[in-house]
């Protein structure tokens, strides 16, 4: 069963983050991997935030407030990371949204990553009831299914092709048949992905248990011949 029950150190960080964004009068949502992992009880130290505001400016101020390190991830799309000092090694990844959280979530890759929860709601009563789920990600999380948000997610970002297999391997989830078909259709786009991104996802995938199954899945989806010609 799914529960939003962050560990104590994560809760402390969420409280300070909520205070920070409140003081800047900025709307911020927990999204992506952090929310997914907390709901299924998986430990994580990466917090993904969708922020309605000037991300690079906010990230700089957040780094100063947390005495953390600012790492610009993608200045074109105004994405930044703040590495928080301490033994837990928390990373805060900030990305902007401008046309409402629903629209932002529907542009993501897989339904289980297209969930949102406002920072304020995450600290209130029954955060479970305030989850934003425009793509049916909760039911896929319950059934353990990797499902693409739309039929053009891999054309929008071909790095998602291998990411789908990596997520299936890491979470021990199965892949939706329609999504498999989309990956096979777009597998040739993998050649446009930066080699270091391919390498990272490939190595993370084969580092998971049941390597032979994961390699077979890559082969079935016409992905294995790209990183290993």
């Amino acid at each position: 069963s799914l529960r939003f029950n962050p560990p104590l150190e994560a809760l402390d960080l969420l409280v300070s983050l909520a205070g920070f964004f409140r003081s800047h009068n900025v709307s911020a949502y927990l999204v992506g991997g952090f929310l997914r992992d907390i709901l299924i009880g998986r430990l994580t130290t990466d917090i993904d935030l969708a922020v309605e505001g000037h991300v690079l400016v906010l990230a700089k101020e957040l780094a100063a407030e947390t005495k953390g390190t600012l790492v610009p991830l993608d200045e074109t799309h105004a994405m930044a990371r703040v590495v928080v000092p301490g033994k837990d090694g928390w990373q805060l990844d900030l990305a902007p949204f401008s046309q409402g959280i629903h629209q932002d979530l529907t542009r993501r890759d897989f339904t289980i990553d297209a969930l949102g929860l406002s920072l304020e709601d995450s600290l209130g009563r029954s955060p479970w009831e305030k989850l934003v789920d425009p793509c049916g990600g909760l039911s896929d999380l319950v059934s353990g299914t990797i499902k693409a948000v739309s039929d053009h997610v891999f054309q929008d970002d071909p790095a998602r092709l291998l990411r789908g297999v990596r997520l299936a391997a890491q979470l021990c989830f199965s892949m939706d048949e329609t999504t498999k078909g989309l990956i096979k259709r777009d597998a040739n786009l993998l050649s446009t992905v930066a080699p270091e991104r391919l390498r990272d996802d490939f190595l993370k995938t084969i580092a998971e248990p049941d390597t032979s199954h994961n390699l077979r899945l890559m082969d079935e989806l016409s992905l294995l011949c790209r990183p290993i010609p």
Side-chain angles (χ1 to χ4, degrees):
S1 66
L2 306 182
R3 283 167 59 213
F4 185 77
N5 194 13
L8 204 54
E9 62 273 21
L11 209 49
D12 289 344
L13 191 51
L14 294 183
V15 168
S16 61
L17 284 171
F20 172 83
F21 287 110
R22 199 183 303 123
S23 69
H24 286 76
N25 202 23
V26 164
S27 178
Y29 284 78
L30 297 169
V31 292
F34 175 78
L35 198 48
R36 175 198 73 217
D37 287 350
I38 291 294
L39 287 169
I40 58 175
R42 192 168 180 259
L43 287 176
T44 180
T45 54
D46 295 349
I47 298 184
D48 300 305
L49 294 159
V51 177
E52 199 169 32
H54 198 308
V55 162
L56 299 177
V57 172
L58 286 163
K60 194 174 180 180
E61 291 184 28
L62 184 59
E65 187 157 309
T66 58
K67 298 183 173 59
T69 308
L70 175 64
V71 184
L73 294 179
D74 181 344
E75 299 207 17
T76 314
H77 296 102
M79 294 161 73
R81 172 174 294 162
V82 176
V83 182
V84 181
K87 62 176 177 23
D88 296 317
W90 286 96
Q91 288 186 167
L92 315 172
D93 285 357
L94 283 69
F97 74 94
S98 55
Q99 294 173 304
I101 191 65
H102 275 80
Q103 188 129 359
D104 177 74
L105 293 172
T106 56
R107 286 202 296 262
R108 291 177 177 265
D109 47 11
F110 303 103
T111 59
I112 58 169
D113 284 337
L115 298 165
L117 180 64
S118 89
L119 262 177
E120 294 293 341
D121 287 338
S122 76
L123 302 170
R125 282 186 176 178
S126 312
W128 176 257
E129 294 167 13
K130 311 281 175 53
L131 275 167
V132 186
D133 178 19
C135 306
L138 274 179
S139 61
D140 290 332
L141 210 48
V142 171
S143 65
T145 307
I146 304 290
K147 187 186 290 181
V149 163
S150 69
D151 65 0
H152 51 79
V153 293
F154 304 115
Q155 293 164 358
D156 293 344
D157 180 1
R160 293 166 167 174
L161 290 156
L162 261 187
R163 186 167 187 270
V165 179
R166 170 168 68 78
L167 278 177
Q170 288 177 330
L171 303 174
C172 299
F173 279 17
S174 57
M175 196 173 284
D176 163 69
E177 288 302 320
T178 305
T179 302
K180 282 184 179 179
L182 294 173
I183 291 177
K184 282 184 199 171
R185 182 196 71 186
D186 295 333
N188 61 308
L189 298 174
L190 207 59
S191 56
T192 65
V193 180
E196 59 274 13
R197 287 187 76 182
L198 276 185
R199 177 201 63 210
D200 289 352
D201 272 336
F202 181 74
L203 291 177
K204 283 176 184 171
T205 304
I206 62 171
E208 292 297 322
D210 206 356
T211 307
S212 61
H213 168 77
N214 299 331
L215 286 170
R216 280 196 201 97
L217 179 59
M218 276 190 232
D219 193 34
E220 179 198 335
L221 300 176
S222 306
L223 297 174
L224 193 58
C225 55
R226 314 292 166 177
I228 306 177

